[in-house]
Amino acid sequence: MGKQWMRPLGAVLVASTLLVGGTAWVTPGNYAYAAEVQGVQQNVINVVGKGEIQVKPDIAYLSIGVNSTAETAASAQKANAAKIQKVTNLLKNMWKISENDIQTSQFYVQPNYTYSEKDGQQVKGYTAHHTLTVTYREMDKIGELLDAASQAGANNIENVRFTVENPENYESQVIEKAVANADVKAGAIAKAVKRQLGAVLSVSQPDANVPVFYASESLMSKATDTAAGTEIETGQVKVSTTLNITYEMK
């Protein structure tokens, strides 16, 4: 009587085979135990649903800067400080922009170099640079504000970024679109494998906050110079979200 092979609970018995003369023979001496795989979902479909809408922006971030050049670093910095102070006073006093909405985003003083074969690299003056990021909410007055800042001494106005201040106001809309998108994807998969789509088993939202895509353009392409002043077109921005959804597959 041969050996008795006992199978322990919670394990799967695996036998190896040996091919001899075209016949497959089971080799008991090579039995091994393999752990059962736990927690594997079967008969499910996992998809990512994407929802996105276009909305008019209600807030803008303006990049307003001042550059000054002088023979010494101290002179360049002093001249630039006077210019940026004039621009800041204009924003606060004339345009009633809160100091909480005016932030220095960049500041530096750097040497300027010249080069010749005779003298090599030489320092020729210094440039001071100071940029303010201004948060502004009156979309129809952006062009007028930029013109006023330029007249006050701002000589480095780079770009305008548009977005929405409270993206959570649009959260339900983008979630509905994400669910609809996931339904279409999951339904197509089920049909392709000749199965039916069942109930939703789980939903998760990887991005805790609904992201907003900034519309950021240089003023070269966003501004139109007219006799009346600079006109800024706000366009639209995207608000989006994604959902991970698991469906039952019948």
Side-chain angles (χ1 to χ4, degrees):
M1 186 173 178
K3 292 182 179 180
Q4 298 294 319
W5 296 90
M6 299 184 65
R7 177 182 175 183
L9 294 176
V12 178
L13 193 60
V14 179
S16 63
T17 60
L18 177 65
L19 188 65
V20 179
T23 303
W25 296 83
V26 177
T27 56
N30 290 331
Y31 274 103
Y33 296 107
E36 289 183 346
V37 179
Q38 301 293 329
V40 176
Q41 287 183 304
Q42 296 181 348
N43 296 316
V44 299
I45 299 175
N46 297 304
V47 297
V48 176
K50 297 180 180 180
E52 179 181 292
I53 61 174
Q54 301 269 358
V55 299
K56 291 287 289 183
D58 56 17
I59 191 169
Y61 298 99
L62 317 178
S63 179
I64 300 175
V66 173
N67 292 333
S68 298
T69 302
E71 291 185 2
T72 66
S75 297
Q77 184 173 346
K78 183 177 180 179
N80 217 52
K83 292 179 182 178
I84 201 68
Q85 186 62 54
K86 185 177 180 181
V87 172
T88 302
N89 289 339
L90 170 80
L91 298 174
K92 291 181 179 180
N93 301 327
M94 298 297 295
W95 287 83
K96 306 303 179 183
I97 298 175
S98 169
E99 63 179 20
N100 294 330
D101 290 331
I102 302 173
Q103 182 181 39
T104 294
S105 56
Q106 194 174 50
F107 174 82
Y108 61 80
V109 179
Q110 65 181 20
N112 301 319
Y113 294 96
T114 60
Y115 179 82
S116 67
E117 293 185 2
K118 179 182 178 180
D119 300 322
Q121 181 172 278
Q122 299 288 326
V123 174
K124 186 177 181 179
Y126 292 81
T127 295
H129 176 81
H130 194 151
T131 299
L132 302 175
T133 296
V134 180
T135 303
Y136 197 61
R137 296 172 178 82
E138 296 186 54
M139 300 294 98
D140 58 336
K141 295 183 178 179
I142 293 176
E144 186 181 349
L145 171 59
L146 294 177
D147 286 340
S150 179
Q151 293 170 9
N155 55 9
N156 190 20
I157 299 176
E158 297 174 355
N159 58 41
V160 180
R161 292 189 303 151
F162 298 100
T163 186
V164 290
E165 190 163 15
N166 298 303
E168 62 273 10
N169 293 341
Y170 306 96
E171 187 167 15
S172 61
Q173 296 180 50
V174 293
I175 286 177
E176 288 175 4
K177 284 185 171 290
V179 171
N181 178 247
D183 286 346
V184 171
K185 290 180 179 179
I189 294 171
K191 183 178 179 180
V193 297
K194 298 179 174 56
R195 301 285 290 274
Q196 291 184 339
L197 194 64
V200 172
L201 301 178
S202 67
V203 181
S204 64
Q205 187 181 29
D207 46 337
N209 299 314
V210 177
V212 178
F213 295 94
Y214 287 90
S216 180
E217 301 289 344
S218 67
L219 292 183
M220 292 294 291
S221 61
K222 297 293 288 187
T224 302
D225 291 324
T226 67
T230 301
E231 294 181 2
I232 301 294
E233 300 297 332
T234 61
Q236 291 186 318
V237 295
K238 299 176 185 178
V239 182
S240 70
T241 193
T242 58
L243 299 176
N244 296 328
I245 304 181
T246 299
Y247 297 82
E248 177 187 9
M249 185 169 59
K250 299 180 180 179

